Amino acid sequence: MTASKKKPRSERSKPSAFWPLAAVVVPLVSYFAKIEIRGRENLPAQGAYVLGPNHYSEFDPLIVAVAVWRLGRQPRFMAKESLFRVPVLGWALRSTGMIPVARSSSASAAKETLRHSEELVEHGRGVIVYPEGTLTRDPDLWPMRGKSGAARLALAGEIELIPMAQWGTQEIMGRYQKGLKLWPPRKPVQVLIGKPIDLSDLRARANEGAAITEATERLMAAVTALLEELRGEKAPAERWNPSAHGQKETGRLES
């Protein structure tokens, strides 16, 4: 008689600071959103990953966090370095393993990216990085031009780079909207996780700007394709470029 293989414990089942947060956040989000997750097999049950979702509402991070939590992983985000200096908030970010990042392309920032990447691999953790860096400026909420943070992190540690799209959150909290739409509850939100992006031809050039730009473009193309599937329509042929329209690209979540 052969012994049955023991199923590995999910990351979510391990005691952590996420437990009390989840006890509050999951029921709250569940009131506002009925989340349908597709492509769940594309988020690895174990090991490091970089997840790159689209971003058009301030409520997005809660949707993404709950989706990742339901799939058995602890939802860690890459966040602006200055947030870690805010009392209470900084403690919460550090205690849950969030990753600080400086808005810089300096050599020291590159070393920090490599260090964070190595830590993800060492501890088998995942991180959520908004590749747009902030809420999209596209008038129709399509993904805009991406920034390089997600690609840099994935290339630095040979980590899987996974695209993700979600749609429906705008019915809970529109872009730049103050406050939430309380009624009706349980608004449908669709989440679609894509297959990891093939970066094998770029790994040997992980520090080259051209390779990072190409990886970023592949990520944005994949995220856009997933959102097209959710929305049942085609995105514009050219991604929105805020600087070409005199718009600033600032936000709390860095990429």
Side-chain angles (χ1 to χ4, degrees), residues 8-16 19 69 72-74:
R9 293 174 66 196
S10 72
E11 188 182 25
R12 185 182 67 183
S13 69
K14 300 173 183 176
S16 70
W19 281 11
W69 181 255
R73 301 303 305 260
Q74 295 178 354

Side-chain angles (χ1 to χ4, degrees), residues 12-229:
R12 185 182 67 183
S13 69
K14 300 173 183 176
S16 70
F18 283 101
W19 281 11
L21 288 173
V24 174
V25 172
V26 172
L28 173 66
V29 173
S30 296
Y31 169 83
F32 288 103
K34 182 179 180 181
I35 303 174
E36 176 194 350
I37 306 172
R38 291 158 51 200
R40 57 180 65 218
E41 69 279 2
N42 294 319
L43 188 73
Q46 294 180 309
Y49 66 85
V50 176
L51 184 66
N54 62 320
H55 193 22
Y56 57 84
S57 167
E58 295 283 6
F59 201 78
D60 289 344
L62 292 177
I63 294 293
V64 175
V66 169
V68 169
W69 181 255
R70 285 182 178 171
L71 295 181
R73 301 303 305 260
Q74 295 178 354
R76 297 178 176 87
F77 288 84
M78 179 175 280
K80 191 176 174 182
E81 187 181 45
S82 60
L83 293 178
F84 287 76
R85 296 192 291 271
V86 177
V88 182
L89 175 60
W91 171 85
L93 292 173
R94 285 187 294 272
S95 64
T96 51
M98 304 297 175
I99 297 179
V101 61
R103 287 179 179 265
S104 168
S105 58
S106 65
S108 61
K111 287 181 180 178
E112 280 294 290
T113 297
L114 179 59
R115 182 175 67 83
H116 291 315
S117 184
E118 290 173 343
E119 287 177 354
L120 289 175
V121 173
E122 179 185 355
H123 299 291
R125 293 175 175 174
V127 66
I128 302 157
V129 185
Y130 283 105
E132 296 165 271
T134 185
L135 299 178
T136 181
R137 301 294 193 262
D138 183 276
D140 296 316
L141 305 183
W142 290 104
M144 63 178 180
R145 185 182 65 171
K147 295 184 179 180
S148 64
R152 284 181 187 275
L153 199 59
L155 285 171
E158 298 190 11
I159 300 171
E160 285 191 337
L161 180 60
I162 303 170
M164 173 181 174
Q166 53 85 28
W167 187 244
T169 311
Q170 72 280 8
E171 299 302 329
I172 300 170
M173 186 178 192
R175 182 178 54 180
Y176 311 131
Q177 178 184 324
K178 302 296 184 184
L180 302 169
K181 298 175 185 176
L182 300 177
W183 193 262
R186 303 278 289 163
K187 298 179 181 71
V189 176
Q190 299 181 75
V191 171
L192 181 55
I193 303 170
K195 294 183 182 298
I197 295 167
D198 184 6
L199 301 177
S200 57
D201 60 319
L202 304 177
R203 298 292 187 189
R205 301 185 290 121
N207 294 323
E208 295 181 13
I212 294 169
T213 298
E214 175 59 25
T216 301
E217 177 54 32
R218 291 181 192 180
L219 173 60
M220 296 313 302
V223 172
T224 302
L226 294 174
L227 188 57
E228 286 178 331
E229 184 175 340

